[in-house]
Amino acid sequence: MGMKIIINAAIFFLLSFTISYGDSTLEKTTDRKILSFLEDTALSWYRSEGLTSSEEKMCKKRTEEIKVFLAGDWDGLPEYIFKRCGQEISRLTDLNVSYVSDSSYCNLYVGMGFDTMKDYYEDWEVKNNMKKPNCDSFIWDLSDDFEIKHSGGFINSKFIKNEKMKEFYSYKIFVTSLGFTDFSLYQKNSIFQAPFDTGRPPSNLDKFIIRLLYQKEIKRKMKMYDISKIVKSKKLID
């Protein structure tokens, strides 16, 4: 079957919230609000190419090991921070996260600096002479059955010595790679909050919806109606 190429252009922003899974504040968050948050962030696109409006509302997920290639200068603390984020993503999704030394073997390409992204932007040379965004993340290859096959992103190299923002943008690249391709205007301090770069790690509510999306009962190409039925029948939010 043919492959769709999807670009989720310029997602540069986001993070943290005070709701905690299992504590009194999360208990005050209704199932409806949690599902609405999931729909806003994972069953929607900030921008896509090659998808119909109906397809944009379908669930997309990874199913295989995330193989990361780090392009550019990641030596020392930047690499440590990114891999620490990867450990948390692996814990939340039950997907293994590994690192490869050759970009041809990766399914998540992450650059330190826009100059590492030449193969991912048709207008790279033009954009390379312009002011660079803080970060970008996108799904590069989505199969016909909505399995995420390849994704990418970069962090502006001006943050190479900024631990807080490196962590923030590392998580952003990871969550887009998992299928979270849009923002939320309603959850304050979330990694999915637009348009602000708060520099905070994912909130407990953010972590909850990442874990929820990667429950085995939630299948690719499901729409929100089907997901809501599964969540209620399987009591996935309890």
Side-chain angles (χ1 to χ4, degrees):
M1 299 178 72
M3 308 294 271
K4 293 187 177 74
I5 294 178
I6 311 296
I7 302 221
N8 190 47
I11 301 185
F12 4 106
F13 32 82
L14 331 139
L15 256 350
S16 181
F17 190 33
T18 58
I19 291 181
S20 298
Y21 176 61
D23 70 12
S24 59
T25 49
L26 183 57
E27 289 171 1
K28 295 176 183 178
T29 304
T30 64
D31 293 2
R32 182 183 59 80
K33 287 183 178 180
I34 291 173
L35 290 172
S36 178
F37 187 34
L38 179 69
E39 183 176 19
D40 287 345
T41 55
L43 279 79
S44 179
W45 290 78
Y46 173 71
R47 186 177 301 165
S48 72
E49 295 181 5
L51 293 180
T52 66
S53 59
S54 179
E55 287 174 327
E56 288 184 342
K57 298 175 183 178
M58 292 179 179
C59 176
K60 59 216 175 278
K61 299 169 67 171
R62 284 185 177 270
T63 61
E64 299 180 351
E65 178 179 13
I66 302 174
K67 299 178 181 179
V68 182
F69 179 77
L70 297 175
D73 183 9
W74 287 87
D75 290 342
L77 185 59
E79 180 180 13
Y80 170 77
I81 290 172
F82 191 90
K83 290 184 174 180
R84 184 177 64 193
C85 296
Q87 290 174 345
E88 177 68 356
I89 292 298
S90 180
R91 185 184 70 82
L92 293 171
T93 62
D94 289 329
L95 295 175
N96 190 42
V97 178
S98 63
Y99 297 84
V100 297
S101 57
D102 186 328
S103 62
S104 63
Y105 297 111
C106 79
N107 55 29
L108 174 55
Y109 180 101
V110 186
M112 179 60 74
F114 185 74
D115 58 324
T116 63
M117 303 299 293
K118 188 172 183 179
D119 293 339
Y120 288 87
Y121 295 88
E122 291 182 358
D123 55 351
W124 179 84
E125 290 190 8
V126 174
K127 286 186 175 179
N128 200 37
N129 293 318
M130 300 169 63
K131 184 178 179 180
K132 312 302 186 300
N134 291 339
C135 174
D136 193 11
S137 53
F138 48 82
I139 292 175
W140 183 255
D141 193 349
L142 186 69
S143 73
D144 287 340
D145 65 352
F146 278 54
E147 179 182 2
I148 298 168
K149 307 294 285 188
H150 192 91
S151 60
F154 75 90
I155 301 172
N156 193 309
S157 56
K158 70 182 180 182
F159 295 111
I160 195 167
K161 295 184 179 180
N162 187 325
E163 180 176 351
K164 180 179 179 180
M165 296 310 294
K166 282 199 302 288
E167 179 185 46
F168 174 76
Y169 292 126
S170 294
Y171 271 121
K172 185 55 201 169
I173 291 170
F174 267 120
V175 298
T176 301
S177 171
L178 294 174
F180 291 89
T181 49
D182 211 342
F183 320 130
S184 173
L185 300 175
Y186 305 108
Q187 298 296 343
K188 301 297 183 183
N189 299 317
S190 166
I191 189 172
F192 304 108
Q193 180 185 353
F196 306 109
D197 291 345
T198 66
R200 298 175 183 175
S203 69
N204 288 321
L205 180 59
D206 294 337
K207 294 176 183 179
F208 185 80
I209 64 166
I210 293 170
R211 188 186 295 277
L212 180 61
L213 180 65
Y214 275 80
Q215 294 298 303
K216 64 181 184 299
E217 293 88 351
I218 296 180
K219 310 296 185 183
R220 301 190 306 274
K221 301 195 83 169
M222 278 186 173
K223 290 192 174 182
M224 200 62 223
Y225 174 77
D226 303 304
I227 291 175
S228 297
K229 286 177 61 178
I230 290 291
V231 166
K232 291 175 183 177
S233 66
K234 300 294 184 180
K235 299 183 178 179
L236 298 181
I237 293 182
D238 290 353

